[in-house]
Amino acid sequence: MKRFIANELLTLLECWLSSCYSCVKWDNVWSESFHLRFGVRRGSVLYPYLFALYLDDLTVTYLSVPGVYIVLYADDILLIAPSVCGLEAIVKICELELSRLDVVINTRKSCSLRVGPRNNASCLPASLSAGTAIPWVKEMR
């Protein structure tokens, strides 16, 4: 509603998403179907759009911070900062904002990459409130 989407479209989305069912395939065996109580199925056409819309406040909040960029793509978040300290600060801020949305950073799928003349200098990984850390890497895919 904050995005001024027509009530009819919101009602349609709410009805559609509240009646979603799914199942799991494991070794050519299908589970029984189960009701999805929240969210949207991965692979859905709407998934990347709803993810970006859900996290849009995260990107708008930091537009005024010079040199810091937040890019949302599908279900990924890319943080770009001009310094290691800036990156650590934006990671902390994002972690706090994401926790308000009940979203957790998966450190097994996250990494930090340093670009520029000092890219070989070693840095401590950005630590998160759960005691985990985002490791530094030399390359990523």
Side-chain angles (χ1 to χ4, degrees):
M1 294 176 83
K2 193 167 69 171
R3 303 281 186 261
F4 303 107
I5 298 170
N7 286 339
E8 293 81 5
L9 181 56
L10 285 175
T11 302
L12 175 71
L13 284 172
E14 183 180 14
C15 289
W16 180 35
L17 295 174
S18 66
S19 61
C20 283
Y21 287 82
S22 190
C23 60
V24 177
K25 181 181 178 186
W26 183 303
D27 266 347
N28 292 323
V29 177
W30 292 89
S31 73
E32 291 189 27
S33 63
F34 53 91
H35 184 247
L36 297 177
R37 294 194 175 107
F38 56 89
V40 62
R41 287 188 302 249
R42 290 186 70 112
S44 165
V45 173
L46 284 179
Y47 185 81
Y49 298 107
L50 293 177
F51 177 79
L53 187 63
Y54 188 64
L55 295 181
D56 190 49
D57 288 342
L58 181 68
T59 61
V60 171
T61 304
Y62 307 107
L63 285 177
S64 61
V65 180
V68 171
Y69 299 93
I70 299 174
V71 180
L72 301 176
Y73 179 76
D75 63 349
D76 295 318
I77 301 172
L78 173 65
L79 304 176
I80 302 172
S83 67
V84 173
C85 292
L87 181 63
E88 289 174 353
I90 197 71
V91 165
K92 295 265 188 238
I93 293 168
C94 283
E95 182 185 26
L96 178 64
E97 188 67 30
L98 290 171
S99 70
R100 291 184 183 133
L101 297 171
D102 200 24
V103 176
V104 179
I105 297 172
N106 185 346
T107 55
R108 291 178 295 171
K109 293 184 176 180
S110 302
C111 62
S112 299
L113 177 69
R114 195 168 180 185
V115 179
R118 298 193 53 203
N119 67 337
N120 290 328
S122 61
C123 301
L124 292 174
S127 59
L128 302 176
S129 61
T132 56
I134 300 174
W136 287 95
V137 297
K138 299 288 182 193
E139 60 183 42
M140 65 179 181
R141 52 187 162 93

